[in-house]
Amino acid sequence: MTSLFERYRLGNLTLPNRVVMAPMTRVRAAAGGLATPSMATYYAQRATAGLIVSEGVQPSLVGQSNPGTPGLHTDEQVESWKPVTAAVHANGGRIFAQLMHGGRVSHPSTTGVQPVGPSAVPAVGDVFTPTGPRPTPVPRALEESEVPEHAGSYAEAARRAVVAGFDGVELHGANGYMISQFLSSNANLRTDSYGGSVANRIRFAVEAVTATADAVGAERTGIRLSPGGLFWGVEETEVRELYTALLTELAPIGLAYVHLEATADEELLLELRRVWPGTLVMNPTLPMGPKQTGRDDADHWLGQGADLISFGRSFVSNPDLVERLRTGLPIAPVDEADFYQGGDRGYLTYPAYQHSA
């Protein structure tokens, strides 16, 4: 059976193991969406992962979801990321930037502009703002002529990511954000070429991926998906048909990978594995679910045909997660109170395993 610690060829990269650090919002960026020295330390501490996928990075100002998140849409932001990617590379690692357009999951008090989305339907729940959680506002529905600009924003950010030293990018097509909103059947009520049928609902995702692959190379482009996920109130009808059609459209592009979350039953996920001919990254544990991904979860999915396994919360509290998995050391629990608190506590303060004398 495939081992979690075997090498893997991903595009032009050779990964020393099959462990991926999943993207996780940590809201530690400086004003102006700038990356910081603490972020460089955080990612460099975890560079033993086969691949790191960064926290969600907004590709435009209107695409920013939360305060305190970094961007890749200004020259200053690009410069701020260079020490981060350099620190990861100096420690022998590889890092992709996750490009995350929040769409309707945003607030004018965060960005200064009204959020946009496929339709004028608000997300369900409260969104973080500079003054605390507030109800998600009604987004402005994009005109059909505006949609390609937002699809293209991922490609523009990808170009900047490569300049900033990232090895590639992952489009955030999951968890109720912009691409996911277009895939949805209740956030997307459009009657034009971007809504209604399965073929129309996948169009935005395909255009965003195609533009990004054209900009930086398909081998440096991945996408994360959450089939059937219910984040921020999105719902998807015809889930099997929707994701089968999407993966079939994406297959000829030659992407670095598709990153699936375990948001559907295993039968459907295995069906999508059969549809997708390329590299599959599997995230076995639901985001914000009750458990951290462990070695058993990883081995199960490798046995089911996944190529790489992503770990989220386990990487927050275990900078040396790869070594702990390799040697069977205990996985330290994570304190969720520090996820989004800012500062270095709960960010840089988790130690590597301390062997007793």
Side-chain angles (χ1 to χ4, degrees), residues 337-357:
D338 294 327
F339 275 1
Y340 313 120
Q341 292 302 305
D344 288 347
R345 177 185 165 84
Y347 191 59
L348 305 183
T349 52
Y350 286 107
Y353 187 79
Q354 305 294 311
H355 291 272
S356 56

Side-chain angles (χ1 to χ4, degrees), residues 202-222:
I202 68 172
R203 191 180 308 277
F204 182 81
V206 173
E207 289 183 356
V209 170
T210 301
T212 304
D214 287 346
V216 300
E219 74 283 355
R220 291 200 280 204
T221 304

Side-chain angles (χ1 to χ4, degrees), residues 54-215:
S54 81
E55 63 212 278
V57 181
Q58 54 262 16
S60 61
L61 178 61
V62 72
Q64 182 175 2
S65 182
N66 298 304
T69 55
L72 270 170
H73 55 90
T74 71
D75 292 345
E76 195 177 7
Q77 289 165 352
V78 171
E79 290 303 311
S80 74
W81 276 112
K82 288 180 178 178
V84 179
T85 58
V88 170
H89 293 146
N91 275 15
R94 296 134 300 276
I95 183 168
F96 274 33
Q98 191 193 58
L99 305 179
M100 172 181 155
H101 191 313
R104 68 180 186 168
V105 185
S106 184
H107 199 280
S109 63
T110 298
T111 62
V113 294
Q114 184 183 5
V116 297
S119 301
V121 179
V124 175
D126 291 343
V127 68
F128 290 110
T129 77
T131 55
R134 295 173 67 177
T136 51
V138 177
R140 180 178 69 80
L142 291 169
E143 299 290 337
E144 188 170 15
S145 60
E146 295 178 287
V147 175
E149 170 196 338
H150 289 268
S153 70
Y154 296 91
E156 288 302 315
R159 287 191 185 95
R160 291 181 177 275
V162 171
V163 173
F166 285 98
D167 298 295
V169 297
E170 174 182 286
L171 279 65
H172 196 347
N175 298 9
Y177 298 108
M178 184 66 120
I179 292 173
S180 174
Q181 289 159 32
F182 272 93
L183 294 171
S184 166
S185 45
N186 68 343
N188 180 356
L189 305 180
R190 302 178 74 93
T191 55
D192 59 16
S193 63
Y194 290 97
S197 68
V198 163
N200 286 352
R201 278 157 46 208
I202 68 172
R203 191 180 308 277
F204 182 81
V206 173
E207 289 183 356
V209 170
T210 301
T212 304
D214 287 346

Side-chain angles (χ1 to χ4, degrees), residues 215-252:
V216 300
E219 74 283 355
R220 291 200 280 204
T221 304
I223 185 170
R224 193 176 208 219
L225 302 168
S226 52
L230 301 172
F231 306 94
W232 295 106
V234 301
E235 294 177 8
E236 296 166 344
T237 57
E238 307 158 296
V239 176
R240 176 176 276 96
E241 295 82 355
L242 185 71
Y243 284 91
T244 298
L246 177 57
L247 295 182
T248 300
E249 282 285 304
L250 296 180

Side-chain angles (χ1 to χ4, degrees), residues 31-47:
L34 303 182
T36 67
S38 289
M39 289 163 66
T41 302
Y42 172 74
Y43 286 116
Q45 284 177 342
R46 290 153 178 82

